Amino acid sequence: MNIGEIARRAGVSRSTVSYALSGKRPVSDDTRRKIQQVIDELGYRPNASARALANGRTSTIGLVFPPAGNHYTGMQLDFIGSVVEAAAAHDYDVLLSPSGVDSDRSFQRLLGERRVDGAILMEIRLQDDRVDHLTALDLPFVAIGRTARPEGSWWVGLDHTALAAACVHHLADLGHRRVAFVNRPQQLLRSGYESAQRGLDGFTKAAAERGLTVRTYCCGDDAASGQACVEQILHDDPATTALVTLNEAALGGLYRGLAQAGRHVPRDFSVTGVVAGRWAETVTPQLTAADVPAEEMGRRAVDLLVERLDHPDAPPRHHLLTPPISLRASTGPGTSTA
């Protein structure tokens, strides 16, 4: 069913039907009612392309979300799901673009063909060319994460500096003196990946404040890398009694490595970090952690983007979240080897 058939049955021109649907020109109430009656009888729904032509909106937002490695981690999938659900509540569809830099073809298609009304950017770097590119194109966007200079932009962020520091203070309060930090992969840290950089800063500064002996490690986003990382930690300093991690994808491997080394959690070794709550609860014992509120962050990002689309002149807004540490069962008092 198309506009031509509606026009024929309503006894009006195609352009009149188009104006009635788009609201671009006034149509008399009688004519509008006649057209609506035909539409209701036929069950007509304009397709996405027709709606976009009529009102200049696609009712689609882009989610620019490159996988950090060869696959999406569980936490990343949580973010994707939260964005899709929040967008649906606003009657928006989501188009996923796995783009890492502004030269990626997927990213260019998203922008050049104006397939979306706005975008949500994930996996933010401190210096992020995608942010610069979208700003230059004047395409509305919201970042999940923040650049080194987030002033004047719309974003939802997690305070990784404060959260990593809170984990250090928690361990220090328990009496741990030799602590390791398990970060994200080396290539992400080198590229200025925001959470990896800010988490490292928070860990390092808090450890210095508490006078701890520490070592820092980068770890791949998988269980095998986590196990290998623990082996390296205990090889470098067997007296280490605790670790802080930002790497939820390696969490199972960290636990396995400790078990194989004969370190019981939390009696002999404490583990904490910044991890999504549902992943912290999948390991045994459950992880004491600053829970990443993926669902809330995705929802807030969509809400901000819709606000920006509906009110183009609104001043920039942001949310910086600092969830408390959820005390579970993976941390205990420092041992005599400290």
Side-chain angles (χ1 to χ4, degrees):
M1 189 56 57
N2 55 40
I3 287 179
E5 180 64 14
I6 294 170
R8 187 182 68 78
R9 296 195 182 200
V12 298
S13 68
R14 290 171 59 95
S15 59
T16 299
V17 175
S18 179
Y19 296 149
L21 291 174
S22 67
K24 287 189 174 181
R25 293 191 184 179
V27 175
S28 71
D29 291 341
D30 286 344
T31 301
R32 188 181 300 278
R33 278 194 296 269
K34 190 185 302 182
I35 292 170
Q36 189 61 52
Q37 183 178 350
V38 173
I39 288 174
D40 292 342
E41 290 172 355
L42 298 177
Y44 172 76
R45 289 175 61 88
N47 63 35
S49 298
R51 290 198 305 271
L53 287 172
N55 61 23
R57 298 277 285 267
T58 66
S59 296
T60 303
I61 60 176
L63 178 58
V64 183
F65 197 162
N70 297 324
H71 61 278
Y72 287 109
T73 68
M75 188 185 295
Q76 290 170 325
L77 292 173
D78 284 348
F79 273 114
I80 292 172
S82 70
V83 168
V84 170
E85 289 181 10
H90 289 282
D91 292 325
Y92 276 88
D93 296 323
V94 176
L95 182 61
L96 178 63
S97 173
S99 299
V101 295
D102 69 0
S103 58
D104 285 352
R105 281 181 291 180
S106 173
F107 189 65
Q108 289 300 324
R109 284 197 302 271
L110 194 74
L111 305 181
E113 299 175 16
R114 286 284 172 163
R115 296 183 176 186
V116 296
D117 299 326
I120 293 174
L121 288 183
M122 297 285 302
E123 306 291 39
I124 295 297
R125 298 183 293 274
L126 293 177
Q127 306 295 332
D128 202 305
D129 49 12
R130 299 168 305 162
V131 170
D132 299 335
H133 200 74
L134 289 175
T135 300
L137 288 176
D138 198 28
L139 182 76
F141 72 94
V142 172
I144 298 184
R146 57 197 163 118
T147 62
R149 299 185 61 85
E151 303 85 1
S153 60
W154 297 67
W155 54 272
V156 178
L158 200 62
D159 194 342
H160 286 89
T161 304
L163 296 180
C167 290
V168 171
H169 291 305
H170 171 65
L171 293 174
D173 290 343
L174 288 170
H176 293 276
R177 308 303 300 163
R178 308 181 79 87
V179 180
F181 182 62
V182 179
N183 206 336
R184 300 294 302 283
Q186 180 67 44
Q187 66 269 26
L188 297 185
L189 187 64
R190 280 200 306 264
S191 67
Y193 190 75
E194 184 237 350
S195 62
Q197 289 277 2
R198 288 199 164 105
L200 177 59
D201 288 345
F203 174 85
T204 303
K205 291 175 183 175
E209 289 175 13
R210 301 302 294 264
L212 306 186
T213 299
V214 299
R215 293 176 182 267
T216 62
Y217 298 83
C218 287
C219 179
D221 287 333
D222 58 82
S225 296
Q227 183 173 346
C229 190
V230 165
E231 292 172 359
Q232 190 65 49
I233 290 169
L234 297 179
H235 174 271
D236 293 344
D237 184 4
T240 302
T241 61
L243 68 80
V244 176
T245 185
L246 299 183
N247 196 322
E248 52 93 13
L251 188 58
L254 297 175
Y255 269 57
R256 189 163 65 225
L258 289 168
Q260 291 196 350
R263 302 292 181 99
H264 180 275
V265 178
R267 186 185 64 222
D268 308 316
F269 202 101
S270 290
V271 183
T272 186
V274 183
V275 174
R278 77 180 187 91
W279 296 99
E281 294 172 355
T282 62
V283 291
T284 303
Q286 293 186 0
L287 186 72
T288 289
D291 296 343
V292 176
E295 182 177 347
E296 179 184 0
M297 294 179 75
R299 176 180 53 78
R300 284 181 182 249
V302 172
D303 288 346
L304 284 181
L305 182 57
V306 171
E307 177 184 340
R308 188 172 184 183
L309 292 171
D310 291 343
H311 306 283
D313 297 326
R317 296 205 302 116
H318 68 267
H319 301 288
L320 181 61
L321 307 180
T322 311
I325 290 181
S326 295
L327 297 175
R328 296 188 179 94
S330 65
T331 56
T335 65
S336 59
T337 59

